[in-house]
Amino acid sequence: MLGKLINANLFRMRRSASTYIVIGAFAAFMVMIFSVMLGSQAISSGNAEFSEVSRNITTEGLFQYVIAGDVLCLFVAIGTVVFIHGESSNGNLKNLYGKVSRKYALVLSKTAVILPLILIFVGIGLAASMMASLVFAPHSISFGGHGWSVVRFTLTHVLLLLAAASLAVCVNVITNSTMVTLIASFLFCQFGIAITSTLTERIHAFCDFTFSDYTLLGNMYAITPSSSGLECLRASVVAIVIIAATTLVGAYFLERSDVK
């Protein structure tokens, strides 16, 4: 049943114009951020994180800037919300609700179908990073000799982004509101790391426990191509736990919802 639900959702995602609008918006954003910020020293210097990247332009540095942090996370959340809204607006959820006894399958299928979208985003980010390297620093397409490390970094972030999608799905199931989910996603991506960092500092005042190591955004910012295999494994476990927990919570609320 789960496989059939995923296939049906994939078909619906491929046929939806909104899917291509979100992908196009992300591609346009990549072009804008690299062409404008790398092309203008005044603009890039106003962003401390990007200023560091622009001083030593490499494909790896640009790709890390795109993948790590909250930018891609926000686009994944938007893509997830757009997909869920389409399912609700065309009555697809009501048609399936009574036919699926295990509600976790409905929730998990929503998350799983976002994976291809995440991979497309990552591919666009990589292509944009390579093109920006060619334009602004010719002959600098290089991953610094970190071939496997970059692959490991990328796969870890794909799993973290999938966890972010699962969280958005869970919030939507609980609130039954596309607008609330979109606002919550925006606030989470914009202010989540600041809250996480503050809590980590407060906890460090009493013990050596690093709270951010076990949070979604904490790992999104912390995991880089130079991160160790153990750090990537920890981040992957955190992502899997989040996916499992949000799927179970979403299934619980969906079971008790008024979808008929």
Side-chain angles (χ1 to χ4, degrees), residues 102 112 115 126 155 195 214-215 227 236:
R102 298 179 179 179
L115 179 58
L126 177 59
L155 293 176
I195 296 173
Y214 303 93
T215 64
S227 297
S236 298

mmCIF file of all heavy atoms in Angstrom, residues 102 112 115 126 155 195 214-215 227 236:
data_model
loop_
_atom_site.group_PDB
_atom_site.id
_atom_site.type_symbol
_atom_site.label_atom_id
_atom_site.label_comp_id
_atom_site.label_asym_id
_atom_site.label_seq_id
_atom_site.Cartn_x
_atom_site.Cartn_y
_atom_site.Cartn_z
ATOM 1 N N ARG A 102 -3.868 1.973 7.736
ATOM 2 C CA ARG A 102 -2.693 2.414 8.498
ATOM 3 C C ARG A 102 -2.350 3.838 8.073
ATOM 4 O O ARG A 102 -1.737 4.058 7.036
ATOM 5 C CB ARG A 102 -1.521 1.470 8.268
ATOM 6 C CG ARG A 102 -1.817 0.049 8.749
ATOM 7 C CD ARG A 102 -0.653 -0.885 8.489
ATOM 8 N NE ARG A 102 -0.957 -2.228 8.976
ATOM 9 C CZ ARG A 102 -0.130 -3.267 8.860
ATOM 10 N NH1 ARG A 102 1.037 -3.113 8.255
ATOM 11 N NH2 ARG A 102 -0.488 -4.446 9.339
ATOM 12 N N ALA A 112 7.983 10.914 1.607
ATOM 13 C CA ALA A 112 8.840 10.198 0.651
ATOM 14 C C ALA A 112 8.827 10.842 -0.730
ATOM 15 O O ALA A 112 9.848 10.858 -1.431
ATOM 16 C CB ALA A 112 8.402 8.736 0.552
ATOM 17 N N LEU A 115 11.454 13.532 -1.680
ATOM 18 C CA LEU A 115 12.860 13.175 -1.918
ATOM 19 C C LEU A 115 13.332 13.539 -3.329
ATOM 20 O O LEU A 115 14.409 14.134 -3.484
ATOM 21 C CB LEU A 115 13.082 11.692 -1.635
ATOM 22 C CG LEU A 115 14.513 11.172 -1.855
ATOM 23 C CD1 LEU A 115 15.501 11.947 -1.000
ATOM 24 C CD2 LEU A 115 14.597 9.677 -1.562
ATOM 25 N N LEU A 126 24.364 22.302 -7.170
ATOM 26 C CA LEU A 126 25.686 21.887 -7.648
ATOM 27 C C LEU A 126 26.007 22.529 -8.993
ATOM 28 O O LEU A 126 27.120 23.039 -9.207
ATOM 29 C CB LEU A 126 25.729 20.365 -7.765
ATOM 30 C CG LEU A 126 27.027 19.762 -8.316
ATOM 31 C CD1 LEU A 126 28.208 20.144 -7.445
ATOM 32 C CD2 LEU A 126 26.906 18.242 -8.431
ATOM 33 N N LEU A 155 24.873 13.523 1.033
ATOM 34 C CA LEU A 155 23.890 12.507 1.424
ATOM 35 C C LEU A 155 23.330 12.785 2.819
ATOM 36 O O LEU A 155 22.131 12.597 3.064
ATOM 37 C CB LEU A 155 24.531 11.120 1.385
ATOM 38 C CG LEU A 155 24.921 10.595 -0.006
ATOM 39 C CD1 LEU A 155 25.631 9.245 0.114
ATOM 40 C CD2 LEU A 155 23.690 10.470 -0.900
ATOM 41 N N ILE A 195 17.669 30.224 18.188
ATOM 42 C CA ILE A 195 17.135 29.630 19.416
ATOM 43 C C ILE A 195 17.977 28.437 19.834
ATOM 44 O O ILE A 195 18.312 28.264 21.018
ATOM 45 C CB ILE A 195 15.666 29.212 19.210
ATOM 46 C CG1 ILE A 195 14.802 30.439 18.930
ATOM 47 C CG2 ILE A 195 15.141 28.446 20.427
ATOM 48 C CD1 ILE A 195 13.370 30.111 18.547
ATOM 49 N N TYR A 214 22.034 17.593 18.409
ATOM 50 C CA TYR A 214 20.897 16.675 18.348
ATOM 51 C C TYR A 214 19.631 17.380 17.866
ATOM 52 O O TYR A 214 18.518 16.943 18.166
ATOM 53 C CB TYR A 214 20.690 16.028 19.721
ATOM 54 C CG TYR A 214 21.942 15.317 20.189
ATOM 55 C CD1 TYR A 214 22.881 15.969 20.986
ATOM 56 C CD2 TYR A 214 22.211 14.015 19.769
ATOM 57 C CE1 TYR A 214 24.049 15.330 21.377
ATOM 58 C CE2 TYR A 214 23.380 13.372 20.150
ATOM 59 C CZ TYR A 214 24.290 14.041 20.955
ATOM 60 O OH TYR A 214 25.457 13.403 21.315
ATOM 61 N N THR A 215 19.814 18.461 17.129
ATOM 62 C CA THR A 215 18.687 19.183 16.545
ATOM 63 C C THR A 215 18.838 19.211 15.027
ATOM 64 O O THR A 215 19.935 19.024 14.490
ATOM 65 C CB THR A 215 18.600 20.625 17.067
ATOM 66 O OG1 THR A 215 19.768 21.348 16.646
ATOM 67 C CG2 THR A 215 18.496 20.648 18.579
ATOM 68 N N SER A 227 33.482 17.465 7.952
ATOM 69 C CA SER A 227 32.961 16.751 9.122
ATOM 70 C C SER A 227 33.370 15.283 9.069
ATOM 71 O O SER A 227 33.480 14.695 7.991
ATOM 72 C CB SER A 227 31.431 16.867 9.173
ATOM 73 O OG SER A 227 31.022 18.201 9.336
ATOM 74 N N SER A 236 22.721 11.841 10.724
ATOM 75 C CA SER A 236 21.807 10.943 10.009
ATOM 76 C C SER A 236 20.832 10.280 10.975
ATOM 77 O O SER A 236 19.639 10.141 10.680
ATOM 78 C CB SER A 236 22.599 9.877 9.250
ATOM 79 O OG SER A 236 23.439 10.469 8.271
#
